[in-house]
Structure formats: C-alpha cells, structure tokens
Amino acid sequence: VQAAGASAGANSGNGVARRRNLPGTPAAQMWNWPVRPLAASEGPLRVAEYIQDLLRQSTSDLERIYELPEGCGVDPLLWQCEHLRQFLIELNLLMVALGEECTPDTCPKMTASNEWQYLCAAHRKTQDCAAIDYMSHTIDGSTALLTNAKHFGSRGSVPPDSGKYFQSMARRLYRIFAHVYYHHRSIFDETEAETHLCARFS
C-alpha cells in the first residue's frame, strides 16, 4: 500500500512511474512527474496529456509548447486541434476570474476599446450581446464544434476538411482576449503573468 503523502509520479514496483496523484499527495507535488516523450505515449489522449505536461513544467516556454516533436507520428491538424481544446479549458478559467467585473451592466456590448464592437454569431441572425454572454457563447460554440462527432469523431485524428474551422474559431476566441485586455486590464495582467495564455494563443 502506498503511504499517504507520497509524491505524484512515484515509481511502481516495476520501476515505471505512476502518472497519477495518490491520496494524500501535497498540493505542491501534484502532477509532479516528468514529461513523457510523445513518441513513447499511447492512447487517444496522448497529445492532450503531453501538452498539459509541458504546461505544468512551464507556461512561458512557447517554442517547446508549440513545436511538434519530430518522429512522433502526430498529424499537424491534430496538434492544432488539441491546442485549441486546451485553450478552451483555460478560457473557461479566465471567465471565472472575471467574476463580477464583467456583467451585462458593466459591459452591455462586446467591445475592444472604443473602436471595435463585435456581434454575436451564436444566433440565427447576428446580434448584440453583453460581453460576458458573447464570450460564453463563443466558448460554448467552439467546444460544441470540437466535440461534434461529425467533424471531429476521434481524439486520435482530424479529417482534413475539418481543419477549415480552426481559423474562424481562433479569430472569435481572440476577441475574448481583446475585451479583457482593454476593459479588465488588471485581470488580464494577473492571469497572463501566471498562464501566459494570450501570448501562447497569439
């Protein structure tokens, strides 16, 4: 029986590191295992797990995070898709950080500075939405698309025709950063210092 408080990634009896957080693991030691080479990983979630391992080591090492390892056998479209999935996870956390700072009362329109206003495409006809609603609709719509079995039926591959959705998705998601940067700068700076989320997305 593994003692409570053992660090994550402790070796099993055969010397293979367990990639799980055992009961009693201190918070500072959670997910404390080395990055497993992508070429040596298996399973449909291997790309997502590899990206998350890299981010746990450093969110600021952009070149390492985005460079597709040679010889790993991963299609570039799948690499892009899994990064978009990871952004959606973290953009949800940014929404939580906004809390009461961004509401229909404080931000009745989706704007970036006083020059740009965006209409929400989540409706049958594009229309004005409060910024918080626009951002929620955009994240939800992107999530729905990336989990749509018709276009993205497998976590292990991406059909060539489905890559056409990435550019428009990224453009709409980037507007979230623009709004937070211009209208909630303190939250943007605090989140960016910790996650480098906008720098990674850019």
Side-chain angles (χ1 to χ4, degrees):
V1 177
Q2 185 71 39
S7 62
N11 286 339
S12 61
N14 60 8
V16 177
R18 293 190 180 105
R19 295 174 59 82
R20 62 185 182 188
N21 296 309
L22 301 174
T25 301
Q29 297 179 21
M30 299 283 275
W31 298 285
N32 187 27
W33 48 67
V35 176
R36 181 164 51 195
L38 187 53
S41 301
E42 298 178 349
L45 300 179
R46 69 186 186 112
V47 177
E49 292 172 349
Y50 177 76
I51 291 171
Q52 290 173 359
D53 281 350
L54 292 178
L55 292 175
R56 290 186 189 108
Q57 283 203 341
S58 173
T59 59
S60 62
D61 191 348
L62 304 187
E63 183 175 349
R64 186 183 185 207
I65 292 169
Y66 288 118
E67 183 177 357
L68 179 59
E70 294 183 5
C72 64
V74 173
D75 178 57
L77 281 179
L78 176 61
W79 183 246
Q80 294 174 45
C81 184
E82 290 299 338
H83 273 289
L84 282 170
R85 285 175 177 268
Q86 179 63 32
F87 280 123
L88 290 171
I89 293 172
E90 295 185 66
L91 282 170
N92 274 290
L93 298 177
L94 176 59
M95 294 284 286
V96 172
L98 286 171
E100 298 300 318
E101 296 294 321
C102 186
T103 68
D105 292 329
T106 61
C107 304
K109 296 182 183 295
M110 180 62 178
T111 57
S113 75
N114 295 322
E115 298 182 11
W116 298 94
Q117 179 179 336
Y118 304 111
L119 298 179
C120 185
H123 312 272
R124 289 188 176 181
K125 185 178 181 180
T126 56
Q127 64 182 54
D128 275 330
C129 271
I132 192 68
D133 294 329
Y134 180 103
M135 293 187 285
S136 294
H137 293 163
T138 299
I139 293 172
D140 290 347
S142 298
T143 302
L145 178 57
L146 290 181
T147 55
N148 185 310
K150 178 181 177 181
H151 302 295
F152 301 94
S154 169
R155 292 296 292 268
S157 63
V158 173
D161 287 347
S162 296
K164 64 186 179 184
Y165 298 108
F166 293 163
Q167 185 173 359
S168 60
M169 184 186 300
R171 184 176 66 250
R172 290 192 174 99
L173 291 172
Y174 193 79
R175 294 169 184 171
I176 296 175
F177 292 113
H179 176 78
V180 179
Y181 177 86
Y182 281 107
H183 302 287
H184 308 286
R185 185 60 178 272
S186 62
I187 294 175
F188 178 91
D189 289 344
E190 182 177 349
T191 302
E192 191 67 8
E194 180 179 352
T195 67
H196 301 90
L197 185 59
C198 185
R200 286 159 39 208
F201 193 87
S202 303

